[in-house]
Amino acid sequence: MDYAKVCLHRGEERDIRSGGWWVYDNEIDWIDDICTDGGIVDVLDSRMQFVARGYFNRRSKIAVRVLTRDESEVIDRDFFRRRVETAWNFRQSLGFSNACRVVFGESDGLPGLTVDKFGDYLSFQTVSLGIEQWKPDIIEILVELFQPKGIYERNDVPVRAKEGLEQITGCVYGEVPPLTTIREHDAAMLVDIAHGQKTGHFLDQQENRGRIAPYCPGRTVLDLCCHTGGFSIHAALYGASSVESVDVSEEALQMVLDNAKANGVSDKITTTCGNVFDIVRKYADDSKQYGLVICDPPAFAKSRKALEGAYRGYKELNLRSMKLVEPGGFLVSCSCSQFMTPELFLKMLREAAADCGRQARLLEILMQSRDHPATINAEQSHYLKGYILQII
């Protein structure tokens, strides 16, 4: 099949040939007159040699999102079915079944597509014009492969505007209930697919919630930015004597209480609603301390320009959190800001420990769950990082 062409400036092909997934508009020398936004194009180097094939969109700074580097591979419905099926088989080989991320964009060779599985239901996002063109086929493929009770579209993310796309949500297949229950380790967790964060639930912390088990028995726990209580419920089930769940959202905290009831740990969990910075400052001033503090805030750095301010915010929050850990207790600290690299985040933690006069021992390094595999050639895919520290 003959595709429209875009040609790169000399040398700009190196990143794509080394595994990169994006071609930026300023890297392109010329574009075929027949190129259509959302259509498939071949990317050529300055010597007119084939480099890659992918979606094209002149309205986006990411002009081409790479689908394949195999010139013989045709982009059709079968292509997308193979990619989704391969992604799902990989998750199953790792032991995921009930709830997981089925498709993680570039990491699964499907740029702009996210698919999450919550028991018998699926939730998806399409954040590029190219994958949007294939949305009807994607929905059909998901029905064929999973036979779900319902599929919900969560295209309510602002990034779609950069691709010239409107925000839209709704059930596109079957029926999706207001709440559904998934299994995470030994916990039953309620998920609001239509209104919950991301595509309904923070699946990227699923494996990390299981890793706090050794640090919970007999300890008091403070879970900061707890959302619907993923860490809180697991801490209670893993033997914590008490858990205080803190979030700015009353709705999220009600879900914490509902999840606590569903897991039989209501007697261990209390909730506190408020700004996390104000709360940790007050608790530190009051000399409160806990055996385990979990600090998992939303992304402070949405862009590189915001990184300096985000660094200060992370440092202040973690410094206060360290003060709240009793001697010999533990701190689980995470960041989902892709621009806050693991090295930079660890540097911040070192500075926070020094400034509050505490020694910190590194016990575990965390990243997103394995159903969110990070592509080492796509820096943005390794966005979640964390450390488990013992605070002396």
Side-chain angles (χ1 to χ4, degrees):
M1 184 173 179
D2 193 24
Y3 293 97
K5 309 289 192 295
V6 301
C7 185
L8 302 176
H9 291 297
R10 184 178 180 182
E12 296 291 1
E13 73 280 359
R14 295 191 189 104
D15 180 59
I16 301 301
R17 285 204 166 120
S18 65
W21 288 92
W22 294 348
V23 175
Y24 291 94
D25 55 359
N26 62 356
E27 297 173 340
I28 295 176
D29 184 14
W30 55 261
I31 300 169
D32 261 354
D33 292 339
I34 61 172
C35 288
T36 59
D37 291 338
I40 306 298
V41 298
D42 281 351
V43 179
L44 309 179
D45 64 18
S46 59
R47 295 171 296 174
M48 302 294 288
Q49 298 299 306
F50 177 86
V51 178
R53 182 169 293 146
Y55 320 122
F56 174 75
N57 187 2
R58 60 171 50 83
R59 289 180 288 181
S60 172
K61 287 189 175 181
I62 304 172
V64 182
R65 296 173 188 261
V66 172
L67 288 167
T68 182
R69 293 170 180 81
D70 181 354
E71 190 172 4
S72 67
E73 191 163 27
V74 176
I75 309 302
D76 55 13
R77 189 184 188 280
D78 288 342
F79 168 88
F80 289 98
R81 194 184 195 285
R82 288 195 305 273
R83 289 285 169 95
V84 174
E85 191 169 20
T86 297
W88 174 228
N89 288 339
F90 170 67
R91 270 67 177 184
Q92 291 180 96
S93 74
L94 296 178
F96 293 99
S97 59
N98 178 258
C100 67
R101 175 147 296 179
V102 174
V103 175
F104 187 41
E106 284 82 355
S107 290
D108 290 300
L110 291 168
L113 178 63
T114 297
V115 180
D116 285 343
K117 183 178 186 292
F118 300 108
D120 294 324
Y121 304 94
L122 299 175
S123 176
F124 77 92
Q125 285 180 347
T126 49
V127 297
S128 72
L129 181 61
I131 191 65
E132 185 83 1
Q133 311 303 305
W134 294 89
K135 188 165 68 175
D137 291 293
I138 295 296
I139 294 169
E140 288 181 0
I141 289 165
L142 294 177
V143 172
E144 292 170 8
L145 292 177
F146 294 92
Q147 299 182 347
K149 292 181 179 178
I151 301 177
Y152 202 89
E153 178 177 6
R154 282 298 304 269
N155 279 324
D156 51 353
V157 285
V159 69
R160 279 172 59 90
K162 296 180 179 180
E163 293 278 319
L165 298 170
E166 295 180 351
Q167 295 189 34
I168 184 172
T169 64
C171 185
V172 298
Y173 174 80
E175 294 182 353
V176 175
L179 292 175
T180 188
T181 301
I182 63 170
R183 298 297 306 182
E184 278 194 358
H185 309 289
D186 297 322
M189 299 297 300
L190 292 167
V191 176
D192 182 348
I193 293 176
H195 305 104
Q197 293 290 327
K198 292 194 173 182
T199 57
H201 184 68
F202 288 112
L203 287 169
D204 52 5
Q205 288 280 26
Q206 183 173 183
E207 292 189 310
N208 292 335
R209 293 182 190 116
R211 292 176 71 172
I212 68 170
Y215 313 106
C216 296
R219 294 190 177 272
T220 56
V221 177
L222 179 65
D223 185 8
L224 301 170
C225 304
C226 67
H227 191 47
T228 59
F231 279 110
S232 295
I233 302 302
H234 283 81
L237 290 172
Y238 291 147
S241 59
S242 66
V243 180
E244 181 178 354
S245 305
V246 177
D247 203 272
V248 73
S249 167
E250 289 279 13
E251 293 80 6
L253 292 176
Q254 183 57 54
M255 286 277 281
V256 174
L257 296 176
D258 293 341
N259 278 320
K261 183 178 180 181
N263 287 276
V265 292
S266 296
D267 59 324
K268 290 187 176 184
I269 293 180
T270 59
T271 60
T272 301
C273 188
N275 180 287
V276 66
F277 285 94
D278 295 337
I279 288 170
V280 295
R281 188 179 301 112
K282 182 180 185 304
Y283 284 8
D285 290 344
D286 293 344
S287 299
K288 281 193 172 187
Q289 288 195 319
Y290 300 80
L292 169 62
V293 175
I294 300 165
C295 184
D296 183 25
F300 290 166
K302 300 284 189 178
S303 66
R304 292 191 188 278
K305 292 181 181 178
L307 185 56
E308 184 177 346
Y311 188 94
R312 291 194 298 269
Y314 280 117
K315 183 178 177 181
E316 178 186 351
L317 183 56
N318 280 275
L319 187 152
R320 304 280 182 183
S321 296
M322 288 178 183
K323 288 183 177 181
L324 296 176
V325 179
E326 63 189 27
F330 305 99
L331 171 65
V332 177
S333 183
C334 299
S335 167
C336 59
S337 297
Q338 70 175 78
F339 301 104
M340 177 66 80
T341 65
E343 296 79 13
L344 191 60
F345 194 61
L346 185 58
K347 176 177 179 288
M348 176 277 300
L349 290 171
R350 289 194 198 100
E351 293 177 0
D355 287 356
C356 73
R358 303 289 295 273
Q359 292 291 318
R361 299 202 299 180
L362 176 58
L363 303 181
E364 296 193 47
I365 300 173
L366 309 177
M367 64 173 288
Q368 64 241 36
S369 181
R370 289 172 300 157
D371 55 332
H372 295 61
T375 302
I376 61 175
N377 300 102
E379 184 178 282
Q380 72 279 0
S381 71
H382 184 192
Y383 65 95
L384 179 62
K385 75 290 302 178
Y387 298 93
I388 299 180
L389 307 174
Q390 184 181 36
I391 307 300
I392 308 301

